[in-house]
Amino acid sequence: TATAVYGPSVIYMAAQLIRQWSVPGDYVVTHTPAYDAFYKVILANQRQLLACPLHKAADDWRCDMAHLEALLARPQTKILLLCSPHNPTGKVWRREELQQMAELCERHDVRVISDEIHMDMVWGEHRHTPWSQVATGPWALLTSGSKSFNIPALTGAYGFISDDASREAYFQQLKARDGLSSPAVLAVAAHVAAYRRGEPWLDALSDYLQDNLTYVAERLAEAFPALGWRPPQATYLAWIDLRPLAVDDRALQQVLIEREKVAIMPGFTYGEEGRGFLRLNVGCPRSKLEAGMDKLIAGLKFVLDEK
């Protein structure tokens, strides 16, 4: 059994490992559209981001493995920063996809940091495969109970680092350089309680979130059948492709905020590949989601009428 490592958040831990496994100017590959903190943590640490765009295929998103290999093969590429399940698309990586990525990373001597914070939010027949089950080269798997059990305010994340030397170096930086000589006791207590006793609550939450996602699909199908939107494979984030409506992203944002008084994250927050999308968080009471969908639909209709 591997020794767990801790940190105040998954992104903090990823930043620590990026500094540890690369030098300024090196390349970090990630799939886009990407969680906005991925861009920040790469660029703020003076590394260069290499984007590997995901391509929409029916109800799935696909990675062009040949393109990924071309990025991994660059001499300055040191790290693949993976999001599994993927945020914002909600993609659950199939085992064979992960195995192929693992082989490519090993072939080109690229280390992997896998952010698996949405691991408990996987729907239907889809199954989450931890990176540790497919890895062939050096890796780190980072996660937290903060999403699953709504405890981010307590801080706290944990993970596993595959090799002893990297693990020791991580602890040295964490404790000596940053002075984080122990995890927050409330975070530890909350994680222990959640994982020991939280299963009934998590099961109920999963049902509620899936019902919320189904509700979004039903409302969108009624109002804009051309979208053909379906719930994601994972996460409580509705990644809504509005491109069939040909609405202007910034005009829509202005109407949603100023006229409808609702804030929904524009897709371009998550990179160029996110243009034309919205990311709607359904991790909330149904009443709030209903009000939000009323406002989103009204805002879209207003923008379309103005065209």
Side-chain angles (χ1 to χ4, degrees):
T1 56
T3 302
V5 297
Y6 64 86
S9 71
V10 164
I11 292 297
Y12 168 91
M13 297 173 79
Q16 192 78 274
L17 288 161
I18 287 170
R19 290 191 291 269
Q20 190 174 314
W21 285 345
S22 62
V23 298
D26 280 346
Y27 298 154
V28 178
V29 175
T30 199
H31 296 96
T32 55
Y35 176 44
D36 53 318
F38 275 25
Y39 296 102
K40 295 171 185 173
V41 78
I42 292 168
L43 300 175
N45 280 291
Q46 293 82 51
R47 274 61 171 175
Q48 298 186 63
L49 184 147
L50 290 185
C52 185
L54 294 176
H55 302 283
K56 194 177 181 188
D59 292 331
D60 197 9
W61 291 81
R62 297 292 170 87
C63 169
D64 181 338
M65 292 293 179
H67 181 57
L68 176 63
E69 180 166 21
L71 300 177
L72 296 173
R74 296 191 186 186
Q76 280 178 275
T77 300
K78 300 297 166 61
I79 295 167
L80 170 65
L81 181 56
L82 179 67
C83 194
S84 178
H86 187 260
N87 174 4
T89 66
K91 174 181 175 60
V92 176
W93 295 99
R94 297 190 304 278
R95 180 178 285 269
E96 52 269 30
E97 290 176 310
L98 294 170
Q99 288 170 333
Q100 192 172 355
M101 285 194 275
E103 290 164 8
L104 294 175
C105 287
E106 184 183 35
R107 183 182 307 163
H108 298 290
D109 196 25
V110 172
R111 295 173 182 262
V112 177
I113 301 171
S114 185
D115 172 354
E116 304 190 8
I117 201 166
H118 287 280
M119 61 188 184
D120 296 322
M121 311 284 179
V122 175
W123 315 130
E125 75 281 6
H126 302 285
R127 294 293 177 268
H128 173 66
T129 302
W131 183 262
S132 54
Q133 291 185 7
V134 300
T136 54
W139 55 272
L141 188 165
L142 310 177
T143 192
S144 171
S146 61
K147 300 283 187 196
S148 308
F149 298 98
N150 197 23
I151 51 174
L154 295 178
T155 74
Y158 64 94
F160 303 92
I161 299 173
S162 62
D163 60 290
D164 294 341
S166 291
R167 194 181 314 115
E168 287 307 310
Y170 172 85
F171 273 129
Q172 173 68 14
Q173 292 298 303
L174 186 79
K175 296 179 179 182
R177 191 191 67 181
D178 293 353
L180 294 173
S181 55
S182 65
V185 67
L186 284 178
V188 174
H191 275 80
V192 170
Y195 288 134
R196 282 185 177 171
R197 299 175 185 159
E199 186 175 5
W201 186 89
L202 187 60
D203 287 344
L205 176 71
S206 296
D207 290 342
Y208 197 98
L209 293 175
Q210 289 177 82
D211 286 346
N212 272 0
L213 288 164
T214 300
Y215 173 78
V216 171
E218 290 169 350
R219 290 294 306 273
L220 288 176
E222 180 186 9
F224 305 105
L227 294 181
W229 188 83
R230 294 185 181 179
Q233 298 172 0
T235 82
Y236 48 81
L237 305 164
W239 184 239
I240 305 171
D241 185 356
L242 297 175
R243 291 175 300 178
L245 301 181
V247 296
D248 179 85
D249 287 355
R250 296 193 182 277
L252 176 60
Q253 281 298 307
Q254 189 172 4
V255 167
L256 290 176
I257 292 168
E258 295 180 7
R259 188 173 191 272
E260 300 297 334
K261 310 299 183 189
V262 63
I264 303 173
M265 291 296 279
F268 54 74
T269 303
Y270 309 98
E272 281 300 311
E273 288 78 25
R275 293 196 178 278
F277 289 78
L278 281 181
R279 195 189 81 157
L280 174 69
N281 187 334
V282 309
C284 61
R286 174 62 64 84
S287 57
K288 189 172 184 179
L289 182 60
E290 288 173 356
M293 287 303 297
D294 288 345
K295 291 172 179 294
L296 171 59
I297 290 167
L300 280 167
K301 287 182 174 176
F302 183 85
V303 172
L304 290 169
D305 286 344
E306 291 284 294
K307 286 174 67 175

